[in-house]
Amino acid sequence: MTLTGKMLIGQQSLHGHRDAIRAMNPATDTPLEPAYAGCDAEHVEQACALAWAAVDIYRETSLADRARFLETIADNIEALDEELIERAIAETGLPRPRIQGERSRTCGQLRTFARTVRLGEWLDVRVDNAHPQRQPLPRADLRQRHIALGPVAVFGASNFPLAFSVAGGDTASALAAGCPVIVKAHNAHPGTSELVGSAIAQAVKQCGLPEGVFSLLYGSGNELGIALVTDPRIKAVGFTGSRSGGIALCQAAQARAEPIPVYAEMSSINPVYLFAAALETRGEQLAEGFVASLTQGAGQFCTNPGLVIAVQGPALERFIHVASDLLSRCPAQTMLTPSIFNAYETGVSALAKHARIAAKGLAATGPNHGQAHLFVTQAPAFLSNVHLQAEVFGATSLVVECKDAEQVRQVSEHLEGQLTATLHIDDHDLPQARALLPALERKAGRLLVNGWPTGVEVCDAMVHGGPFPATSDARSTSVGTAAIHRFLRPVCYQDFPDSLLPAALGHDNPLGLRRLVDGQREA
Ligand code: NAP
């Protein structure tokens, strides 16, 4: 397919009129064709009007039809084959295996949501049959199901050009819930976005759906994002990016005449706890695993282990020594964009003012090369200095040396909300780990034992969320099938005749769902 530089509004490809975005190849610092002119208010209006016109039809598509739509998108993305892989590599500097893996995850995610849609559990059907004879008052017939919130604005993420962008987790979960989606492409990978957007638009056509189910817009400088979030027809937002961006979108959404939910995944430093027995018996192995996790993908993961917490002593010193040695041999890696690279350099410089540098990776040999860093500080400094808790997006981590278990607890209580918290333990560490768990449950969305936080499985049990600033809403997840619930709300139907009820609530259970009827789960 020839890239056109056009946005997609329903089935129409249109040129924008505003300042053009051109992707940069971060590995060579050269611009890539074509240019993508930004859209204006008229285009936002068109996309929102189409999405609004589609909503009542799309949200009532049968479970089978909606599942088939998600599977068709996955098939179409796979059919893009090498063209998609090559373009994503050029726009992100990410290595081929990572992009191929991300494509698999993206298509697997869409198919997993198709399975979820077919099961229909997300409708959460509850039936309380009428009790006309109940004393002192009769009970009405009450039936509940979940419906789609309405059109959703999705912001493509810079660090996942496929799995968290145009057809990524937010889009897949919103489409699965029955919500039309308008994506704001990330400016770092407009060509990848156009390819994937075309695959979705084609699937809309193949499945005979209303064209407003999907649109893809381009634009830079905040204006487009704010226009989308404040349009009254948009009913929810999915975002992955910076803390400042996420907060700005939340504030814009709250200031609307009708405030709407913003599911923003923003900033997390993902503490890793090294407990005494584990550190003593396998400190070197832990150092190897830590450096591999820290430097994977130039550290550009929201689950990057940016903080290590342990009680000071010879075992921790040995860990720092081995990790420093390994890190000092890690080559610098191309970061996603010049601005992410600059932000990384600024973050490292800021950290260097407040903590001791234990090790640096190999120096940069090309443009936008991020050099890995390991810093060390003591618990009292960490507790009194807010700068030490700031996310440095890239391969940088900070070891916090604590005097004792009480100081580990204080540091933990001081932490902001996190996506993950990791415990490295042996049997002897169990009492201390157990004592810390309540605090960690309050702080993080996912707790791991003897693993590394990078690598997020897309499955039913996954939670990729957590208290602020990890996300703007700790009650949900952005990865895994539970993400569908972000875009649904319950509706109760009282005393409806069978002929007027939605199929999911019909008296004879025509969809064959597992419903909660008079307090009992149907088989
Ligand atoms: P970003 O600057 O937050 O941008 C993400 C998207 O949000 C872009 O489409 C951007 O559009 C839009 N946006 C940002 N601020 C906005 C505002 N005030 N109003 C309206 N729209 C706004 O994130 P990024 O470009 O991906 O990376 C920048 C930094 O974010 C990184 O250096 C890193 O620190 C952090 N980041 C963190 C994670 C994580 O998972 N923790 C992931 C990615 C990035 P415009 O640019 O057109 O305004």
Side-chain angles (χ1 to χ4, degrees), residues 281-305:
T281 53
R282 50 192 168 91
E284 290 193 9
Q285 198 188 325
L286 289 174
E288 278 169 29
F290 165 67
V291 171
S293 177
L294 176 66
T295 55
Q296 191 186 344
Q300 300 165 116
F301 289 113
C302 39
T303 50
N304 200 47

Side-chain angles (χ1 to χ4, degrees), residues 200-465:
I200 302 178
Q202 194 189 340
V204 169
K205 194 170 174 191
Q206 287 165 298
C207 295
L209 296 172
E211 61 172 328
V213 165
F214 175 76
S215 290
L216 171 65
L217 303 178
Y218 295 92
S220 63
N222 299 352
E223 216 176 305
L224 167 57
I226 295 296
L228 273 177
V229 171
T230 53
D231 188 284
R233 290 157 293 197
I234 296 294
K235 299 301 179 194
V237 177
F239 168 92
T240 298
S242 65
R243 184 168 177 161
S244 59
I247 290 173
L249 298 180
C250 287
Q251 286 172 344
Q254 283 307 304
R256 290 169 40 133
E258 178 201 2
I260 54 168
V262 175
Y263 300 104
E265 200 246 277
M266 298 171 285
S267 154
S268 180
I269 52 175
N270 305 298
V272 173
Y273 293 84
L274 306 176
F275 282 85
L279 201 50
E280 188 63 45
T281 53
R282 50 192 168 91
E284 290 193 9
Q285 198 188 325
L286 289 174
E288 278 169 29
F290 165 67
V291 171
S293 177
L294 176 66
T295 55
Q296 191 186 344
Q300 300 165 116
F301 289 113
C302 39
T303 50
N304 200 47
L307 194 67
V308 177
I309 301 166
V311 173
Q312 65 198 24
L316 180 58
E317 276 169 34
R318 207 163 51 246
F319 169 86
I320 294 171
H321 176 76
V322 177
S324 298
D325 184 46
L326 292 168
L327 195 95
S328 64
R329 287 184 270 136
C330 288
Q333 296 178 68
T334 308
M335 298 194 76
L336 290 158
T337 65
S339 65
I340 287 180
F341 167 68
N342 291 334
Y344 176 67
E345 295 269 283
T346 306
V348 168
S349 303
L351 212 45
K353 289 193 189 119
H354 304 284
R356 171 173 75 79
I357 296 183
K360 286 183 191 182
L362 294 172
T365 56
N368 305 309
H369 267 193
Q371 189 181 16
H373 281 75
L374 184 63
F375 291 89
V376 179
T377 193
Q378 275 73 44
F382 185 81
L383 291 169
S384 62
N385 188 339
V386 287
H387 299 290
L388 293 173
Q389 244 195 95
E391 180 190 50
V392 178
F393 192 64
T396 280
S397 191
L398 173 67
V399 179
V400 180
E401 297 177 327
C402 300
K403 195 168 58 157
D404 51 23
E406 171 53 19
Q407 231 169 34
V408 170
R409 193 195 60 76
Q410 284 172 15
V411 166
S412 308
E413 290 291 358
H414 184 68
L415 290 175
E416 293 187 304
Q418 305 291 335
L419 292 170
T420 70
T422 302
L423 309 173
H424 281 282
I425 53 173
D426 278 357
D427 286 351
H428 286 102
D429 297 316
L430 282 172
Q432 288 88 341
R434 193 170 286 117
L436 202 57
L437 264 186
L440 298 185
E441 285 166 344
R442 277 189 275 108
K443 296 286 178 181
R446 178 164 58 110
L447 307 177
L448 300 84
V449 167
N450 293 341
W452 298 100
T454 40
V456 184
E457 188 72 30
V458 180
C459 60
D460 296 324
M462 178 50 65
V463 175
H464 190 65

Side-chain angles (χ1 to χ4, degrees), residues 162-202:
L162 297 173
F164 257 82
S165 283
V166 178
D170 286 337
T171 299
S173 49
L175 290 177
C179 299
V181 168
I182 302 176
V183 175
K184 179 196 181 295
H186 197 283
N187 298 340
H189 42 77
T192 306
S193 299
E194 187 187 345
L195 289 168
V196 175
S198 305
I200 302 178
Q202 194 189 340

Side-chain angles (χ1 to χ4, degrees), residues 3-15:
L3 291 177
T4 64
K6 293 179 185 175
M7 69 189 98
L8 291 166
I9 299 185
Q11 292 294 306
Q12 269 187 296
S13 292
L14 296 172
H15 269 303

